[in-house]
Amino acid sequence: MTDSVADQDLLRRMRSGDAQAFTTLYRRYQAALYRYAVLRCGSEAVAADLVQEVFVGLMQDQYRFDPTLGQLQFFLFGVIRHLALKHDVQDRRYESIEPVGEDEQAEDDVMCENATPLQQLLRNEMAEELRIAIAALSSHYRDVLILFEIQELSYLEIAQICEINVGTVRSRLSRARQALAERLAAWQPSLARTA
């Protein structure tokens, strides 16, 4: 059974009240949607709310998924993207990136345990600067960049999610990379030292 067929069956069962089907779909897609939403919105709380809204809407049949038009995964990315855009309109301000919590800090320390204190500090500062630089991008650039670089989706998949053509995906990705390169240019000497 392909994932697409399995997703359709799980979706049907979930809407009939099967809690196990909901749990399976949630576990399958929650992490990727959350990662996208955190980078897209710059807030863990907003990202968690958006993911919850996606799954509640999916469970209540609020969102009409048509399997003939594509895979459930890409449909869900499209839904969360639209919710994020709606959040942008309602909010009309960009919140600052939340500071790294203790649990996240401990995870970063494990990943860098062989690094010197200076290297760890520089990596943490570079990661924070990268998060800030991504948050500063226009939403249409941010969407494409996150979906391509972090979620590792193809141009065609991103075009479907963002409802744009492939050429626009390419140009937006190029512009997003250029904007990040300009913003992070000051870090180039640091990157060479810590490598």
Side-chain angles (χ1 to χ4, degrees):
M1 186 181 302
T2 66
D3 279 348
S4 176
V5 174
D7 283 347
Q8 275 184 268
D9 183 52
L10 288 169
L11 193 56
R12 182 189 49 73
R13 289 179 21 219
M14 178 190 71
R15 289 181 177 155
S16 296
D18 184 339
Q20 184 60 39
F22 172 80
T23 301
T24 302
L25 281 174
Y26 184 81
R27 287 182 179 157
R28 187 174 289 172
Y29 297 116
Q30 179 273 339
L33 292 172
Y34 179 77
R35 280 191 306 271
Y36 167 76
V38 165
L39 288 170
R40 173 60 178 75
C41 299
S43 167
E44 293 175 4
V46 171
D49 289 346
L50 292 179
V51 170
Q52 179 180 349
E53 191 172 338
V54 166
F55 281 99
V56 168
L58 191 63
M59 187 170 44
Q60 296 174 346
D61 203 13
Q62 182 179 351
Y63 308 119
R64 299 289 179 185
F65 170 63
D66 182 352
T68 64
L69 298 177
Q71 296 177 14
L72 180 61
Q73 172 187 9
F74 307 130
F75 174 78
L76 295 176
F77 274 118
V79 170
I80 203 160
R81 178 181 170 269
H82 282 285
L83 292 173
L85 288 169
K86 194 163 86 174
H87 176 266
D88 289 348
V89 169
Q90 290 171 349
D91 201 17
R92 285 289 185 213
R93 61 180 164 74
Y94 288 99
E95 298 175 3
S96 63
I97 303 296
E98 294 181 6
V100 175
E102 290 178 24
D103 292 339
E104 293 170 284
Q105 185 65 42
E107 185 178 309
D108 288 344
D109 290 345
V110 170
M111 290 174 24
C112 301
E113 66 184 28
N114 295 329
T116 67
L118 176 60
Q119 288 172 324
Q120 288 177 348
L121 177 65
L122 287 174
R123 285 183 184 147
N124 290 341
E125 287 179 11
M126 284 186 293
E128 182 62 19
E129 188 63 28
L130 179 59
R131 282 190 284 272
I132 291 169
I134 290 172
L137 292 173
S138 297
S139 62
H140 56 279
Y141 293 141
R142 196 173 340 134
D143 290 334
V144 171
L145 181 77
I146 294 167
L147 290 170
F148 185 80
E149 297 293 348
I150 308 299
Q151 299 299 330
E152 299 179 348
L153 300 181
S154 71
Y155 290 147
L156 183 58
E157 293 163 343
I158 296 168
Q160 290 172 341
I161 291 167
C162 295
E163 300 172 346
I164 55 178
N165 65 47
V166 173
T168 304
V169 171
R170 287 188 180 114
S171 67
R172 287 182 181 178
L173 182 59
S174 175
R175 289 182 182 134
R177 286 176 172 163
Q178 180 63 34
L180 282 181
E182 290 170 7
R183 173 87 186 238
L184 300 173
W187 285 98
Q188 288 302 322
S190 298
L191 291 172
R193 285 195 304 267
T194 60

